[in-house]
Amino acid sequence: MLISWIQRIRARTIALLGLAAAVCFTAVACSGGGSTVATATGPSISPDLVADYIHTVLAADRTAYTKHVVNRVKTLEGKAKDAGVLDVESTEGWQQTDGIPLPAQMFRLGSEIANESGYFTYNLISTWYINDNHGPKSDFETTALAEMEASGEAYKDYQEVGGQAYFSAMYPDKAVAEACVSCHNTHPIHLERYPDKQFEMGEVMGGVVINIPVESMPAA
C-alpha cells in the first residue's frame, strides 16, 4: 500500500516534469534570458527558463514530502518523534524495515526514473556528501558548488560531456525541515568525514543540478 502510494507520487512528478521538458526540443542553445520567440514549429523557450520550471516542481515536491510526510512520522532514523502521528519510520534502510525513504532518497528515486527519459537529468550534489554519487563529478559541478555556496544563488552555464552539449543549472538545496538537519548532523559518515560541520535550518546543504541537452555549445 505504501509503495503503491510512493509510486503514484513519482508518476505525477514525472508527468509534470515531462510537460516542462517537452518544450526543450525547440529550445536553441544560444537563446538567452527568459523570453520566448516565435518559430516555424511554434513557440520556443530558452533552456534557462526550462531549468527554472523543472526546479520549481522538484523543490515543491521535495519540500512537501519532507514537511508533510517525514516530519509527521513517529520515528526518524531510530529516534522517536514526540509530534509524530504516522505509525512508520523514515530511515535510510527503509526497504529492510518496511519504512519510508528519507527526503534525499525519495529525491534520488525520482531522478533515477526521470533520467531514463532522455529529456534531461537531475541529481543532488554537495560538498558534504554522504552518498558518493552526490559528490561533484565535473568542472562545472565543482565551480557551481563554490559559486552557489558563496552567493546563495543559482549558477548556470553550458558544458560538454561525451560530445553532447548541455545547459546546466545548479540551485541551492537548503534545509527546509528539522529532518534534513538532524539526519545529516548525526549520520555516522557525516560525523567521520565532516566532524566540524553541523548544519542549521535554512542553510545551503548542497545543490540540485539539472542538465538539459541542447543542439550545440553557444558561440564564444
Side-chain angles (χ1 to χ4, degrees):
M1 189 77 169
L2 177 61
I3 298 301
S4 175
W5 174 77
I6 292 174
Q7 290 173 334
R8 287 199 298 272
I9 290 180
R10 291 184 202 162
R12 286 196 294 269
T13 300
I14 299 307
L16 288 170
L17 291 174
L19 287 173
V23 298
C24 190
F25 284 112
T26 55
V28 291
C30 60
S31 60
S35 61
T36 59
V37 295
T39 68
T41 58
S44 171
I45 303 179
S46 72
D48 185 326
L49 191 55
V50 173
D52 286 346
Y53 289 163
I54 295 171
H55 176 254
T56 297
V57 177
L58 295 177
D61 280 0
R62 189 177 183 202
T63 299
Y65 178 73
T66 303
K67 287 186 174 181
H68 304 302
V69 179
V70 175
N71 273 5
R72 290 165 56 82
V73 302
K74 288 187 176 180
T75 309
L76 176 63
E77 285 287 53
K79 297 181 180 180
K81 288 172 59 66
D82 294 336
V85 295
L86 302 178
D87 193 16
V88 67
E89 178 184 11
S90 182
T91 175
E92 188 174 15
W94 62 277
Q95 290 174 300
Q96 291 74 39
T97 63
D98 291 329
I100 62 173
L102 296 169
Q105 292 176 306
M106 188 68 169
F107 191 92
R108 188 172 68 250
L109 290 170
S111 73
E112 290 171 355
I113 297 173
N115 293 354
E116 293 174 357
S117 69
Y119 295 140
F120 61 91
T121 64
Y122 69 89
N123 194 21
L124 290 173
I125 303 292
S126 178
T127 299
W128 307 280
Y129 58 90
I130 293 175
N131 184 323
D132 290 343
N133 291 324
H134 295 168
K137 305 175 189 64
S138 67
D139 290 342
F140 168 82
E141 292 179 351
T142 300
T143 299
L145 271 175
E147 295 287 341
M148 184 195 64
E149 290 169 5
S151 68
E153 302 293 333
Y155 181 88
K156 303 174 181 179
D157 201 355
Y158 290 87
Q159 64 171 328
E160 187 171 319
V161 180
Q164 171 64 57
Y166 292 91
F167 177 82
S168 298
M170 186 179 291
Y171 300 83
D173 184 33
K174 299 181 180 180
V176 297
E178 185 59 35
C180 304
V181 173
S182 60
C183 281
H184 274 265
N185 287 348
T186 61
H187 196 285
I189 294 179
H190 180 91
L191 293 173
E192 179 182 349
R193 290 180 177 176
Y194 323 108
D196 298 326
K197 181 61 180 178
Q198 289 290 289
F199 291 111
E200 299 179 357
M201 285 290 293
E203 186 176 357
V204 175
M205 302 180 71
V208 175
V209 63
I210 299 171
N211 301 301
I212 301 173
V214 293
E215 290 181 358
S216 62
M217 296 288 285

